[in-house]
Amino acid sequence: MDIRCRKTTCKFNDRYTCKAREILIKKSLECSQFVKTDKPVDDKTKKIFSNTPPVYAPQRDSATIVIDCKAHCLFNQDGKCVANGITLNDLKEKPLCVTFLRE
């Protein structure tokens, strides 16, 4: 599963890939696992077409992470995310799931 996160101020963010053991997306679409790091990284994905493209960490196997979801989303099946991948954005104080499709 492709788990991309642009919240570069999170301690679980490794080159735009989430390394948390589990993720819970709240009804508000916020990732509840967000933990602010002391070492923020510049978000190069905002300038994806510049001279130096971002370096991404390898994708994670979906068996290595549990993604729970409380949002009213098309991909929410009995509280588990069944999307092929999720993307978390850096729009607010906490990262938001932008893979969300209203049920």
Side-chain angles (χ1 to χ4, degrees):
M1 175 179 277
D2 190 20
I3 305 163
R4 296 293 171 206
C5 183
R6 290 182 59 191
K7 192 68 172 178
T8 55
T9 57
C10 182
K11 82 172 194 172
F12 297 114
N13 189 323
D14 175 20
R15 294 169 288 155
Y16 313 105
T17 298
C18 180
K19 296 298 183 175
R21 291 186 179 183
E22 59 184 41
I23 295 173
L24 170 63
I25 302 298
K26 300 180 190 180
K27 284 184 182 179
S28 62
L29 306 181
E30 292 179 358
C31 176
S32 66
Q33 269 60 32
F34 171 67
V35 177
K36 196 165 188 169
T37 182
D38 294 334
K39 302 175 188 176
V41 178
D42 186 33
D43 184 359
K44 292 184 180 182
T45 64
K46 291 180 181 177
K47 302 170 190 164
I48 199 161
F49 297 109
S50 67
N51 294 337
T52 55
V55 177
Y56 294 99
Q59 289 186 18
R60 293 185 65 187
D61 186 330
S62 60
T64 65
I65 188 167
V66 175
I67 302 176
D68 293 323
C69 183
K70 300 209 183 270
H72 298 288
C73 180
L74 180 68
F75 301 116
N76 182 346
Q77 285 189 352
D78 299 321
K80 301 289 181 197
C81 180
V82 295
N84 288 334
I86 65 169
T87 300
L88 300 167
N89 213 336
D90 189 19
L91 298 176
K92 288 188 170 186
E93 183 62 30
K94 291 198 173 201
L96 298 177
C97 179
V98 293
T99 308
F100 171 78
L101 288 174
R102 187 171 302 281
E103 187 176 31

